[in-house]
Amino acid sequence: MARTISELADGQILSLSCSPTIENQESFYAWGVPKHAQFFLGPFNHLSPESLSQTAGLQDFASGFDIIFEDTTFQMYSPNRQQQIAFVRRNLKAKGLMIFLEKFRSQDVEEYRRRELQKDHGFKVRYFSEAEINRKKTNVLETMNLNEVTLDEMRSVLREVFSYAYIIWNSGNFHSIAASNSLRNLDLFVSCLGPVAIPSEYTYGEVPAPFLPLPQS
């Protein structure tokens, strides 16, 4: 996604993607080396302001990012969102946006399971065999589930860091949240979003929807 955005922007947007998984790097460069998009092979917690300023090819990002997108990353490491967000936020500009896409734990265990079954048997079966789905459950999801947090827990953490936030996407147990200390930039971003391209039966809740209290008009 970052690579595509940089290509379409023709140099107006520089992007840096990171992952510790070599297959993701291979996929990133499968169609050649993009002009305006970089890839860092390593975990997100290796990208501090200091390391960005000292790493060849990454100095352009040392002054900070306008947008940081956490794409189902934190849940692979630990449930400590406070520490994770505090670390990553050091790379965010003062009026920048941080976007979080995560799978959230629910207080209602049965509802959580129902949505998982809907995803596995209503969607994944179109692309994966039952054996592949079960293998992912064992190798990835069971570990990831231990590191999920609830939406209420996420709200409590974000409230300590950001003034404003919206839920901008939802599907099953997944939600995407955009947060910022600049209401102007956040509203501009949300106003540019198109309709959610997902069947209504997979969506639970209206989007965009306020996640942190917003000023009364």
Side-chain angles (χ1 to χ4, degrees), residues 8-46:
L8 292 174
D10 194 24
Q12 296 182 71
I13 298 176
L14 304 180
S15 66
L16 172 62
S17 301
C18 77
S19 170
T21 307
I22 188 67
E23 289 83 2
N24 287 337
Q25 184 186 53
E26 293 169 353
S27 175
F28 189 89
Y29 291 118
W31 299 98
V33 179
K35 288 184 179 180
H36 310 293
Q38 301 271 12
F39 186 93
F40 174 79
L41 181 62
F44 74 92
N45 57 353
H46 286 185

Side-chain angles (χ1 to χ4, degrees), residues 54-203:
Q54 296 167 10
T55 303
L58 301 185
Q59 286 94 343
D60 286 339
F61 305 104
S63 61
F65 294 84
D66 296 296
I67 296 177
I68 294 178
F69 180 25
E70 180 253 330
D71 186 351
T72 56
T73 300
F74 292 162
Q75 63 197 42
M76 296 297 181
Y77 291 88
S78 86
N80 192 336
R81 296 295 180 272
Q82 185 175 33
Q83 188 177 49
Q84 292 165 329
I85 293 172
F87 181 90
V88 174
R89 184 171 173 263
R90 297 189 300 160
N91 290 322
L92 186 69
K93 292 181 180 179
K95 295 184 178 181
L97 274 66
M98 191 173 289
I99 302 172
F100 308 88
L101 172 57
E102 297 189 16
K103 188 178 183 180
F104 289 93
R105 194 173 72 248
S106 175
Q107 302 288 5
D108 187 337
V109 176
E110 289 306 314
E111 177 62 15
Y112 180 95
R113 289 174 178 168
R114 189 180 74 81
R115 296 186 191 185
E116 287 298 285
L117 289 172
Q118 180 193 39
K119 178 189 65 177
D120 289 346
H121 300 288
F123 178 74
K124 281 188 175 182
V125 290
R126 304 177 191 177
Y127 308 99
F128 303 100
S129 68
E130 186 175 352
E132 288 173 320
I133 293 173
N134 289 332
R135 185 163 60 248
K136 184 176 181 181
K137 281 183 181 179
T138 302
N139 295 340
V140 179
L141 298 182
E142 289 182 6
T143 299
M144 185 180 73
N145 290 352
L146 298 175
N147 298 324
E148 293 170 9
V149 299
T150 66
L151 282 168
D152 285 342
E153 289 170 330
M154 188 67 162
R155 182 183 287 109
S156 295
V157 173
L158 291 181
R159 187 179 286 121
E160 299 299 317
V161 182
F162 296 106
S163 299
Y164 316 105
Y166 288 101
I167 292 177
I168 58 172
W169 182 86
N170 155 251
S171 179
N173 289 313
F174 289 85
H175 290 75
S176 188
I177 302 165
S180 179
N181 282 319
S182 170
L183 181 59
R184 179 180 180 181
N185 286 348
L186 182 60
D187 278 344
L188 177 61
F189 174 79
V190 171
S191 71
C192 292
L193 297 177
V196 177
I198 189 169
S200 59
E201 62 266 27
Y202 290 96
T203 302

